[in-house]
Amino acid sequence: MNNFQFYSPTEFVFGKGTENKTGYYVKKYGGTNVLLHYGGGSAVRSGLLDRVKRSLDEENIA
């Protein structure tokens, strides 16, 4: 087996209502701007996109 090093600085957050903390996590890691990319229309129809946008607005993330 070859020697290797693996570094994965990723925090996974799961659970009910965690989309409402999106802005908090973006800010926690120094983010200041976000590009939202989504597929069909289910993110809009379910209200998920609005909840994520609201969270980002509350943290003043563009």
Side-chain angles (χ1 to χ4, degrees):
M1 181 172 159
N2 294 329
N3 293 342
F4 69 93
Q5 203 170 4
F6 178 73
Y7 176 68
S8 181
T10 303
E11 181 174 358
F12 296 93
V13 181
F14 293 94
K16 186 176 182 177
T18 54
E19 71 276 7
N20 298 315
K21 297 181 180 180
T22 304
Y24 164 79
Y25 286 105
V26 170
K27 192 173 245 186
K28 177 180 177 180
Y29 292 103
T32 56
N33 293 288
V34 172
L35 172 64
L36 295 174
H37 180 89
Y38 57 95
S42 62
V44 174
R45 285 190 303 275
S46 70
L48 175 62
L49 189 59
D50 287 334
R51 292 190 301 275
V52 169
K53 285 180 179 180
R54 187 176 319 114
S55 177
L56 294 168
D57 287 343
E58 288 173 357
E59 295 291 340
N60 297 315
I61 305 292

